[in-house]
Amino acid sequence: GNSVTQMEGPVTLSEEAFLTINCTYTATGYPSLFWYVQYPGEGLQLLLKATKADDKGSNKGFEATYRKETTSFHLEKGSVQVSDSAVYFCALSVNQAGTALIFGKGTTLSVSS
Amino acid sequence: DGGITQSPKYLFRKEGQNVTLSCEQNLNHDAMYWYRQDPGQGLRLIYYSQIVNDFQKGDIAEGYSVSREKKESFPLTVTSAQKNPTAFYLCASAQGTNTEAFFGQGTRLTVV
């Protein structure tokens, strides 16, 4: 079946540190991959996406590259800010009727000044 | 502004009562979804609908019911059969499969 596994949190960093949140997936066919962010008490917002192998999604300094050979979509940012503190979800969707987005369990990021 | 609106933001329910959560979208999306979020468990799919007048059970449908009478609306009823309904509920919509979903702001349901 289709599934997403992302690293357990929480991740605690100092401001300006480098961030990596690992995400690997299992899927039939060729999924699209997404990173969502959730701030406290809010819904999820799309952070970035990639729809085919070797695509790089990027937004607000965050990047992730779709690696088919390692079935991975790791999220990175070169210099985190306090405002990046949130929960990050990796997700996938497949082009198959009757399916929904599948999410990882989320990784909590806490950035201190 | 296009988007998804969930209401209410906070909801309190007495044990044994049914309660309905509203979800409306003006994005003209065909697909709509309900997820439940509990601490440490990520998002779990309750129900989804790919088209008006049709919907399918997700992974944790027991104790919940939905309807899809209009394209823009996908209300979720939490029935008294749901043993542990206290959670954060998220509604989402998407244009189709293999595309990103857009989320509402969520409804926090508490059983008192």
Side-chain angles (χ1 to χ4, degrees):
Chain A
N2 303 317
S3 65
V4 174
T5 302
Q6 62 182 105
M7 63 187 286
E8 299 279 335
V11 174
T12 304
L13 296 173
S14 298
E15 207 165 22
E16 300 183 2
F18 184 84
L19 168 71
T20 299
I21 300 178
N22 290 338
C23 172
T24 57
Y25 68 90
T26 302
T28 54
Y30 302 96
S32 292
L33 301 172
F34 309 91
W35 277 101
Y36 283 84
V37 59
Q38 184 181 34
Y39 299 101
E42 298 185 6
L44 275 67
Q45 302 173 28
L46 180 67
L47 182 60
L48 52 85
K49 68 178 182 180
T51 58
K52 62 183 187 297
D54 299 325
D55 267 3
K56 177 186 282 188
S58 61
N59 185 25
K60 300 180 182 179
F62 291 90
E63 293 183 341
T65 301
Y66 188 147
R67 301 286 189 198
K68 193 172 190 304
E69 63 276 12
T70 55
T71 62
S72 65
F73 192 55
H74 305 321
L75 182 69
E76 296 181 336
K77 187 175 185 182
S79 176
V80 294
Q81 305 300 312
V82 172
S83 57
D84 293 327
S85 299
V87 182
Y88 292 82
F89 291 92
C90 185
L92 70 82
S93 68
V94 294
N95 191 14
Q96 179 182 346
T99 61
L101 268 178
I102 297 167
F103 288 86
K105 292 192 174 184
T107 302
T108 300
L109 171 64
S110 179
V111 181
S112 58
S113 58
Chain B
D1 276 343
I4 301 177
T5 301
Q6 289 187 243
S7 61
K9 189 172 176 66
Y10 299 96
L11 188 57
F12 297 89
R13 189 196 90 174
K14 292 182 179 180
E15 286 197 27
Q17 285 183 338
N18 293 354
V19 64
T20 298
L21 283 60
S22 171
C23 178
E24 303 276 334
Q25 55 101 356
N26 60 6
L27 300 167
N28 200 34
H29 285 167
D30 290 319
M32 296 187 74
Y33 309 88
W34 276 105
Y35 290 90
R36 169 177 171 147
Q37 186 177 21
D38 297 283
Q41 296 205 44
L43 276 68
R44 293 183 291 169
L45 183 65
I46 305 172
Y47 268 98
Y48 62 102
S49 169
Q50 303 281 347
I51 196 169
V52 174
N53 291 323
D54 189 39
F55 48 82
Q56 290 78 39
K57 293 182 179 179
D59 301 318
I60 56 165
E62 185 175 354
Y64 300 96
S65 66
V66 294
S67 62
R68 187 85 188 277
E69 297 176 1
K70 299 185 295 183
K71 187 174 185 177
E72 59 269 24
S73 178
F74 191 42
L76 173 74
T77 297
V78 184
T79 75
S80 57
Q82 170 49 237
K83 299 305 179 190
N84 184 21
T86 294
F88 191 52
Y89 291 87
L90 288 160
C91 179
S93 72
Q95 183 55 43
T97 58
N98 216 23
T99 62
E100 65 266 36
F102 295 83
F103 282 81
Q105 291 297 297
T107 293
R108 185 165 297 282
L109 173 64
T110 303
V111 174
V112 296

